[in-house]
Amino acid sequence: MKNLLLIGLVSITSTASTAALASGHSMPVADAWSNITWDKTAKDMPKGDYARGEKLESYGLCITCHGEQGIAPTRNAPNLAGNTALYTYKALMDYQSGLRNEGNGKASVMHAATTPMSKQDMADLAVYYAAQKLPAPTGHYTPPANIKKLVTKGDVSRMITPCASCHGVHGEGRDITPALAGQVPAYFIRTMEAYKHGKRTNDIHEGMAQFTQDLTDAEIQGLAEYYANLMPKHPSHPAGKE
Amino acid sequence: MNKITRRDLIKLFGASALGTGLMGASSLAFASKSAHIVIVGGGVGGAASAKYMRLLNADVRITIVEPEPKYIFCPGSNEVVAGFDTLETLTVDYNTLKSRYAVNIIQDRATEIDYAAKKLKLAKGDVLSYDKLIVSPGPDFKYGAVEGYSKQLAEGNFPAAWHAGPQTLVLRDQINALPQGGTVLISSPVDPYRCPPAPYERASFIANKLKDTNPTAKVIILDSKDDFIFHDVYLDFWKKEHGLGTPDARIEWVPKKAGGHVTKLDTKNRTLTTANGQVHKGDVINIIPPEMAGSFVRMNGLAEGDWAPFNSQDFSTKRDKDVYIIGDSAAADPMPKTGYIASNQAKVVTKAIQAELTGKEIGTPFITNNCVAMAAEDWGMTVAETFRYAGNHHPYEESYVMSDPTDNPYYRHIRAEVAKNWQRTFRKDIFS
Amino acid sequence: MKKLLLISAMTGLTCLLQAPASFALTGGLTLEQEAKVRSEYPMPSGAMLGDNCSACHGTKGAEFNEAMPPLAGMDKQKFIKQMKIYRANKFPSIVMYDVARVFSDEEIEAMADFFAKQKPEEWTLPNWNASIKGNAKENSHE
Ligand SMILES: Cc1cc2nc3c(=O)[nH]c(=O)nc-3n(C[C@H](O)[C@H](O)[C@H](O)COP(=O)(O)OP(=O)(O)OC[C@H]3O[C@@H](n4cnc5c(N)ncnc54)[C@H](O)[C@@H]3O)c2cc1C
């Protein structure tokens, strides 16, 4: 726990400066979330309108990179289908405020894409994407024992709690903890690396980053494969069918 | 084989660099028996030629002749004028081309081609033998088209700033020092010139800046044309953001038909006179002169009129099949003069050379130009152009899609951001 | 470019294509004329077509940037499917409809083959420098 607290302290000071140094481009400096400020924000989230979200998917050009119904066509963009509404809502807010910037230029398109959005727009998109479904994974995959253990049991010696305890046994996510089942592996890896290297700092009190510090690159790769191959709780097609 | 190359190799690479880390270059890349590809100009067209030649062929020797020790990209230089980027971001050196792609860089100016002997003379007296010569020296400016204007004035207090560098910074500083309510005059040239939307992008950026710092100041574009690319988008922007058409407009566009064509500069009174005799006074005067092929091209008999014609299939010149012309100096209409185009022409040339060296048929060329221009940091627009080969002695055939004014803020915001992403990727594609 | 301007001045009259939710003018050859020119010469190679993408997608499509996805190493069928979706203008895109509209099925397939063969680059660490010198240094370990 010592480890964790220490990192937590460091992170508070580093969050603001990361944003400030983000780039020569104009990325605003945003305040980090506390549990209190986030809880209030989540409570005040407008009721999302599915139909408006569906329109905004095209009008807002989300569909260009994130694909139809939030199923990403390349390894560049994450799948948005089936993620929790709160996670998507928070991600959009954090891109808009500049809190999620991931270093020079790495999130500037999402910052631009969210700049015109109102909170209502974000809620609409969040609700729309939460209702979309990812296809069942194809192909055969057997998780290596060490990866399976990290997911279900964690690693006490490194104070890594099991991924499933927050992200769910189906990788379905909960509230602001994102769904991971079926996620694009390249996106998964770079997200974990960004957390690990202190470049992604929009989690509350390093709620995620703390678990990435001690993961090896090979473990991150293994987890990416595990989750890419995990059956979503509600797939759009049953396994084996397209 | 001439001794220059060998001497330069030792000078430039040293023993250690020759050992490891070279991308795809073989030991033959330094042997005198390998074909020698010489490139005039280490700008976009020249650097892209060197890199893409190496990606195709590990054995050829590749030499760039370039007088400047570093290259400063023009894309992004309007941002520098407006103060939201620095020249440093746009500046690259030749180290990666040297170390990773085994390209020999000679810091000198090429002067003369001996076509019969296949030799290139350099200003300091060196002579290079070539098997293939790729020429991409960029444009020269016709300062004399505006009476009273000159290269000396451009390098002094009347910057053209149409080749990123010291003049870009002078112009930036002049805008910063503009007196309250002052006037900036921009003279936009006749076609063709490098980067067709750039004068309007520059005018917009300056007006945006003045809106914050000097709101009663004014930008007047005196144009030698009646139309320009993205005309409708820029006019829409100027109306919405700068009151175009109202008495307080922060920006004004005077087309040729309304007397916009600038004929004369009076440095003492700081005025520009236009074809209809109107006199405009400016606190800052930015004349973008009309252009022609670089002097190297004209002096070596490669130009017909202002630009150098070529055979469409491989960009070999009409003058000599082993000498190629690409970039802004080429008579490539309907292709615009852009870095995007210059780099894609380089890919056509290097593939043609590789085909010849390996005894294969030269393939059908294909060229695109995808350009993002901005009106503001959050207001972008795009044009995607395709150029299809239509025969060796015909111009390429063009088709395009271009942004129209839109009230959809997502297009404007995202496109502007894509422009910045593009600039980074492009610099990397050419120089690393 | 002269020609482009000329045509753009007339687009109000001649622009036929109104893409769904797209705010664009088209000009130059119509798609039918373009297809005719295309059919008169051998198809450009996959490398010739694919190398035109590098200014945005990086050399050999390998750049892993935020705005433009890497094409190097992309699954052939995925590439073909996505290019055809763009070409069909099924939904608004930033530029990809504008780019994809001119390609034949065979050209798309040739590009797919070309990119599938290329080595993908990994996402550079997020602290990379905007300037090329930073990039070059950071990539030197690859
Ligand atoms: C403000 C502005 C913005 C622009 N924005 C864009 C953009 O967004 N996108 C885009 O695609 N294009 C843009 N361009 C255009 C682009 O910069 C040019 O089209 C491109 O640089 C042309 O390449 P080039 O190789 O012909 O010439 P250059 O890149 O100018 O290179 C020519 C090189 O040759 C050297 N040289 C000259 N004479 C000799 C000699 N005798 N011997 C040896 N070397 C010599 C010069 O020193 C120079 O380094 C912009 C231009 C400007 C002015």
Side-chain angles (χ1 to χ4, degrees), chain A residues 102-187:
Chain A
E102 294 172 41
N104 187 358
K106 289 298 194 193
S108 49
V109 174
M110 278 309 298
H111 177 63
T114 49
T115 299
M117 288 181 190
S118 66
K119 289 213 168 75
Q120 183 65 51
D121 293 334
M122 298 185 195
D124 297 341
L125 280 171
V127 161
Y128 167 75
Y129 280 121
Q132 307 308 313
K133 289 176 178 157
L134 285 172
T138 50
H140 304 280
Y141 169 81
T142 324
N146 69 321
I147 296 302
K148 181 117 210 205
K149 180 167 169 276
L150 274 175
V151 171
T152 56
K153 302 225 159 63
D155 182 349
V156 186
S157 70
R158 291 182 284 171
M159 289 195 302
I160 295 173
T161 53
C163 314
S165 69
C166 298
H167 293 276
V169 279
H170 301 284
E172 73 274 27
R174 180 162 46 91
D175 296 344
I176 57 165
T177 308
L180 300 177
Q183 192 48 283
V184 176
Y187 167 77

Side-chain angles (χ1 to χ4, degrees), chain B residues 253-267:
Chain B
W253 176 59
V254 188
K256 182 179 175 207
K257 59 175 182 260
H261 177 62
V262 170
T263 55
K264 199 171 146 194
L265 165 71
D266 177 342
T267 55

Side-chain angles (χ1 to χ4, degrees), chain B residues 40-46 65-68 71 74-78 94 108-111 136-139 161-163 194-195 198 201-202 296 326-329 337-342 369 371-372 422-423 426:
Chain B
V40 175
V44 173
V65 180
E66 163 65 54
E68 302 295 331
Y71 180 73
C74 289
S77 64
N78 281 335
Y94 294 93
D108 201 350
R109 174 171 291 279
T111 53
S136 190
W162 217 242
H163 193 105
R194 55 175 21 181
C195 201
E201 183 184 78
R202 174 176 288 180
F296 177 86
I326 57 170
D328 290 353
S329 279
K337 298 190 185 299
T338 69
Y340 204 116
I341 287 281
N369 178 57
C371 163
V372 199
W422 176 82
Q423 287 175 10
F426 187 59

Side-chain angles (χ1 to χ4, degrees), chain B residues 351-374:
Chain B
K351 284 184 179 64
I353 291 176
Q354 175 67 359
E356 256 193 66
L357 292 177
T358 52
K360 302 217 172 75
E361 292 236 328
I362 297 174
T364 303
F366 174 82
I367 288 181
T368 58
N369 178 57
N370 297 305
C371 163
V372 199
M374 288 189 261

Side-chain angles (χ1 to χ4, degrees), chain B residues 123-296:
Chain B
K124 291 178 196 156
D126 287 345
V127 179
L128 300 176
S129 294
Y130 65 81
D131 295 288
K132 297 284 183 184
L133 184 68
I134 304 174
V135 179
S136 190
D140 268 2
F141 300 109
K142 296 179 178 173
Y143 299 100
V146 174
E147 190 190 328
Y149 196 43
S150 66
K151 187 165 189 272
Q152 287 68 33
L153 287 170
E155 286 166 359
N157 285 328
F158 295 86
W162 217 242
H163 193 105
Q167 293 183 31
T168 313
L169 300 180
V170 173
L171 183 58
R172 179 196 64 188
D173 295 345
Q174 289 183 347
I175 302 291
N176 284 337
L178 188 73
Q180 284 297 315
T183 302
V184 179
L185 299 178
I186 297 177
S187 165
S188 185
V190 289
D191 287 317
Y193 58 95
R194 55 175 21 181
C195 201
Y200 312 95
E201 183 184 78
R202 174 176 288 180
S204 305
F205 284 179
I206 293 173
N208 300 345
K209 187 190 169 79
L210 295 175
K211 188 176 185 176
D212 296 333
T213 60
N214 192 343
T216 54
K218 194 165 182 153
V219 180
I220 302 174
I221 307 166
L222 300 168
D223 211 326
S224 299
K225 309 178 288 300
D226 284 329
D227 199 2
F228 57 90
I229 186 169
F230 300 128
H231 168 278
D232 294 356
V233 184
Y234 277 110
L235 262 66
D236 179 52
F237 174 77
W238 296 336
K239 271 187 201 132
K240 285 178 177 145
E241 295 294 313
H242 297 299
L244 183 77
T246 68
D248 297 331
R250 198 171 299 108
I251 202 159
E252 199 182 311
W253 176 59
V254 188
K256 182 179 175 207
K257 59 175 182 260
H261 177 62
V262 170
T263 55
K264 199 171 146 194
L265 165 71
D266 177 342
T267 55
K268 235 196 239 113
N269 297 310
R270 300 195 77 89
T271 59
L272 289 177
T273 307
T274 58
N276 64 355
Q278 254 188 334
V279 177
H280 298 260
K281 195 160 169 48
D283 301 284
V284 173
I285 296 179
N286 175 213
I287 299 171
I288 304 164
E291 293 172 14
M292 59 188 158
S295 63
F296 177 86

